[in-house]
Amino acid sequence: MTADRRAPSRIVILTGAGVSAESGLGTFRDKDGLWTKYDLEEVATPQGFARNPALVHDFYNARRANLLAAAPNPAHAALARLQRARPGLVTLVTQNVDDLHERAGALEVIHMHGELMRARCAACGHVWDAPEVMAPDDPCPACAAPATRPDVVWFGEYPYHMERIADALARADLFVAIGTSGQVYPAAGFVQEAAMAGARTLELNLEATAARFDAVRTGPASVIVPEWVAELLD
Ligand code: APR
């Protein structure tokens, strides 16, 4: 027997906050989401950081504390299993700044919105492992400037790794969006980009979003992601 010809060869997966919701990390736009409690202009823009860096650090220090207390859920584990089972064929792109894909065993994760556990110097660009608690005057380990910021991409900033992601989308046979509301660009445009390049598109979410996919499956990520991966691999 040959390998299952229906199995897509190149898969690009885009994850959002919904994949980590069942690990206890808040989503942004759901009822009780982070953006219902915090003003994103104040805590997630360069202008907000310039106005009040201590407030911004407090916000990300709290996110970091939540993350350190959280653990990957079966959705992260299933995606890691898929990436390991198909070496080189599964591009895992996340909008999440958490490290739960890595902790579940994913081999390579493209963090387009940066990483909560990394710090960046706003003066020289040096990046290093974030301490649990950061403060505006923390000196950069490379240039000593007191210009420490979280290495996360804020509104109005350009996401990371866009060229690499565009390459993967152009070559994808299947594009899957998991637990993302599809309201933030450029990630929200990946489904059209992949479809235009000839990929099939699939959405896995608690509820269908407004974006157009060839197929939609609804339910909690911890259930529907392992089911989908099992269908591909077992
Ligand atoms: N399982 C699956 N999907 C879920 C679950 C769950 N248990 N819980 C919530 N969802 C879905 C919601 O239905 C929603 O569509 O996850 C999505 C979360 O949407 P958002 O809160 O908008 O998060 P996301 O799409 O990741 O946000 C994108 O916005 O503020 C920025 O930089 C931030 O990366 C983030 C970006």
Side-chain angles (χ1 to χ4, degrees):
M1 289 287 284
T2 55
D4 183 356
R5 288 175 191 282
R6 290 167 309 164
S9 43
R10 289 186 189 278
I11 306 176
V12 176
I13 297 168
L14 170 70
T15 64
V19 83
S20 297
E22 291 161 85
S23 294
L25 302 183
T27 62
F28 296 97
R29 294 173 184 79
D30 292 314
K31 183 168 66 68
D32 296 334
L34 284 169
W35 297 153
T36 67
K37 298 176 195 146
Y38 296 89
D39 182 348
L40 73 82
E41 297 288 341
E42 297 305 324
V43 300
T45 63
Q47 295 80 3
F49 187 62
R51 275 193 297 272
N52 192 344
L55 177 83
V56 175
H57 275 298
D58 282 351
F59 175 74
Y60 288 99
N61 287 340
R63 307 275 75 70
R64 213 172 289 110
N66 284 356
L67 176 56
L68 289 168
N73 69 55
H76 299 104
L79 295 176
R81 178 182 171 225
L82 178 61
Q83 196 179 45
R84 286 172 170 271
R86 301 269 176 91
L89 294 176
V90 178
T91 304
L92 181 52
V93 182
T94 189
Q95 297 167 91
N96 299 342
V97 295
D98 68 52
D99 59 357
L100 297 181
H101 285 305
E102 287 91 338
R103 282 202 249 155
L107 296 173
E108 202 177 3
V109 185
I110 299 178
H111 280 276
M112 63 179 292
H113 291 170
E115 294 177 70
L116 202 44
M117 299 312 297
R118 305 280 284 165
R120 178 150 54 94
C121 175
C124 77
H126 181 66
V127 173
W128 67 99
D129 286 340
E132 190 171 342
V133 177
M134 288 176 16
D137 292 341
D138 288 348
C140 167
C143 76
T148 293
R149 58 166 283 178
D151 190 24
V152 301
V153 176
W154 288 325
F155 288 95
E157 296 184 321
Y158 200 65
Y160 295 157
H161 313 298
M162 289 306 294
E163 227 169 274
R164 222 178 128 198
I165 296 168
D167 283 351
L169 290 171
R171 291 183 301 135
D173 298 299
L174 175 66
F175 171 76
V176 190
I178 305 176
T180 175
S181 62
Q183 293 194 35
V184 176
Y185 282 83
F190 291 172
V191 58
Q192 283 106 315
E193 240 175 288
M196 279 168 59
R200 285 195 304 117
T201 59
L202 168 67
E203 170 166 70
L204 304 177
N205 202 307
L206 204 49
E207 49 198 31
T209 65
R212 273 216 223 125
F213 287 83
D214 295 325
V216 178
R217 295 188 187 191
T218 56
S222 68
V223 175
I224 62 174
V225 177
E227 278 174 5
W228 170 68
V229 169
E231 282 171 31
L232 281 182
L233 296 183
D234 297 338

